Amino acid sequence: MTATGSGVSHNTSMKNNPATVSYFRILSNVVSLYRRVQRQEKWLHKQLPIILADTVPDYQQSFSPRDIKRITKYWQLALNLVCENLYQLTGNKPDSGEHKRIILLSVFGPLFDDLFDDNILHYEQIASLVAKPETYVPQTKTDLLVKKLYLALLEITPNRQLFIEQLQQVSYWQRASLKQLNNTITEEELYEITYKKSYYAILLFCAVLDHYPDQQVLEILYPIAGLMQLTNDAFDVWKDVHNGVYTLPNLYLNFEQLQARFLAEIALINHKLWQLPYTVKNKQKFAITIHSLHAMGWISLAQLRQVTAGISSFEALTKLSRKALVCDMDSFEQKLKWLKYIHRFVNY
């Protein structure tokens, strides 16, 4: 599935959007989201030891402050951009059981990534762990934790088989992403890995919810996932070039093409979103939340396009400073620009 060349024009998208979203509405939603994230961090800090008491009794020894920070970020993205955002769109609200699953998966996810990223296990071992966790024999402390958390999730997840199938897809695309350590990877392969790695990570979180998205919503989640990963890659250019990881922003340096792709996907997302059978208010709030991330990706791509003018190779990128390659969103000017692009994308 690809979204490029969708043929969805600006006018078509606007026709299906019954009301233009104002700057005030966008600012109000963004401020509300920011305050919620601040409260969430404090809440998770208190709840995490309680929730993990049975699964990871040596919680304090198993997770460093850096680990907790990574878990918190993983959880907040999954909760606010995926789980709660999907639920507010469809008029649902996650209950305490679903919140527990989301937290457990947010602890499990980074550790599972480490199995690949840190070469802790061979792919065949990971595949065995995913398919038959009960009989899997751990090799290290990390995969022991992964097994414990995985079994705990399977015990309380509403559809065990769906969760396993989605985790198998996550595993497959995690393995495929190792091709990004080789500069011979093709642009077509990079696009597929970029989109599908992010898409199945989102679907894994959907698999722990009581209400799995229907086909119409799944079609929207695919381009959303692609833009989420492109945004992440645009922000991580400095880190990736120094770690030898090849991505769409740093290998081909074709930012005009990437920006065109961005706009095509924004149009497609909006076109499909406005046709969903949910309230206008819910659809607009959903759009504000997802496009708040996409707007950051757009700003980062625009900066990269400017600072890499005249640069034509991955090696040349390594000579640029961190300041040039990292998009700083803290200034008042950047925040105003961010608000402007959220408004543009929501109404695109």
Side-chain angles (χ1 to χ4, degrees):
M1 170 183 177
T2 58
T4 319
S6 61
V8 180
S9 69
H10 173 81
N11 291 333
T12 302
S13 296
M14 286 297 293
K15 186 170 68 175
N16 289 310
N17 181 2
T20 300
V21 185
S22 69
Y23 273 106
F24 177 79
R25 172 80 191 281
I26 291 169
L27 181 61
S28 175
N29 274 260
V30 168
V31 170
S32 176
L33 178 60
Y34 174 79
R35 288 174 176 168
R36 188 161 73 246
V37 167
Q38 299 304 303
R39 291 194 301 270
Q40 286 171 349
E41 193 161 337
K42 295 177 182 177
W43 180 85
L44 185 68
H45 186 72
K46 294 178 181 177
Q47 291 298 314
L48 203 52
I50 300 169
I51 290 173
L52 293 177
D54 294 332
T55 313
V56 191
D58 58 342
Y59 163 79
Q60 298 292 348
Q61 288 73 41
S62 297
F63 299 106
S64 67
R66 181 176 174 273
D67 294 328
I68 301 301
K69 186 176 180 180
R70 187 166 67 140
I71 290 166
T72 303
K73 182 179 178 182
Y74 207 94
W75 173 68
Q76 287 177 328
L77 285 170
L79 184 68
N80 295 306
L81 286 174
V82 181
C83 301
E84 285 197 340
N85 200 28
L86 281 173
Y87 263 24
Q88 77 79 29
L89 172 66
T90 57
N92 294 307
K93 193 172 183 180
D95 61 25
S96 59
E98 288 171 295
H99 274 294
K100 181 178 180 179
R101 292 175 223 145
I102 295 166
I103 291 172
L104 282 176
L105 184 49
S106 299
V107 180
F108 170 87
L111 288 169
F112 189 74
D113 291 346
D114 288 344
L115 299 181
F116 292 88
D117 298 340
D118 296 344
N119 296 313
I120 293 171
L121 298 177
H122 296 300
Y123 179 72
E124 292 72 20
Q125 293 171 303
I126 297 172
S128 173
L129 166 59
V130 173
K132 297 179 179 179
E134 288 86 358
T135 58
Y136 174 79
V137 179
Q139 308 297 307
T140 69
K141 185 178 179 181
T142 301
D143 62 332
L144 174 62
L145 273 175
V146 168
K147 175 180 175 175
K148 285 182 176 181
L149 290 162
Y150 186 25
L151 289 173
L153 278 163
L154 289 176
E155 191 175 333
I156 61 175
T157 293
N159 189 330
R160 174 190 168 102
Q161 190 54 39
L162 175 64
F163 186 82
I164 292 172
E165 289 171 2
Q166 299 297 11
L167 186 57
Q168 286 172 327
Q169 289 287 352
V170 168
S171 303
Y172 179 87
W173 290 106
Q174 276 280 30
R175 184 192 191 189
S177 72
L178 298 178
K179 293 180 182 179
Q180 292 180 251
L181 299 174
N182 192 323
N183 65 2
T184 60
I185 188 170
T186 67
E187 191 170 18
E188 184 180 356
E189 286 177 311
L190 264 179
Y191 267 113
E192 186 174 26
I193 290 168
T194 297
Y195 274 62
K196 290 187 176 177
K197 182 172 71 172
S198 180
Y199 180 58
Y200 286 107
I202 287 175
L203 294 192
L204 189 64
F205 272 96
C206 293
V208 303
L209 299 176
D210 290 340
H211 305 283
Y212 192 74
D214 62 25
Q215 186 57 39
Q216 282 183 294
V217 174
L218 290 176
E219 289 178 6
I220 294 176
L221 288 179
Y222 188 82
I224 285 175
L227 292 193
M228 284 174 67
Q229 188 59 48
L230 278 174
T231 294
N232 184 66
D233 291 344
F235 265 85
D236 279 349
V237 163
W238 189 86
K239 185 181 80 174
D240 287 339
V241 296
H242 288 280
N243 288 336
V245 178
Y246 299 95
T247 66
L248 287 164
N250 71 35
L251 183 56
Y252 292 99
L253 301 172
N254 192 341
F255 296 109
E256 184 177 353
Q257 177 183 303
L258 282 175
Q259 287 181 313
R261 176 83 175 217
F262 233 79
L263 291 180
E265 299 293 44
I266 295 292
L268 179 66
I269 291 164
N270 289 349
H271 175 69
K272 289 181 175 293
L273 177 62
W274 306 137
Q275 295 181 59
L276 291 177
Y278 305 118
T279 67
V280 171
K281 183 179 179 181
N282 286 5
K283 289 187 283 191
Q284 289 179 342
K285 189 173 182 180
F286 180 85
I288 292 168
T289 301
I290 58 168
H291 292 324
S292 65
L293 182 70
H294 298 155
M296 292 183 189
W298 181 267
I299 292 170
S300 187
L301 284 174
Q303 176 179 314
L304 289 168
R305 184 175 179 178
Q306 183 179 15
V307 301
T308 59
I311 289 177
S312 58
S313 71
F314 181 91
E315 290 70 25
L317 272 182
T318 64
K319 310 299 182 187
L320 293 180
S321 68
R322 188 179 188 278
K323 184 178 180 180
L325 294 177
V326 173
C327 186
D328 181 5
M329 293 297 299
D330 290 337
S331 72
F332 182 70
E333 181 184 3
Q334 284 287 75
K335 285 181 170 62
L336 284 180
K337 192 184 292 185
W338 178 49
L339 187 65
K340 169 190 166 184
Y341 282 116
I342 298 173
H343 181 266
R344 179 187 177 189
F345 291 164
V346 169
N347 295 296
Y348 191 71

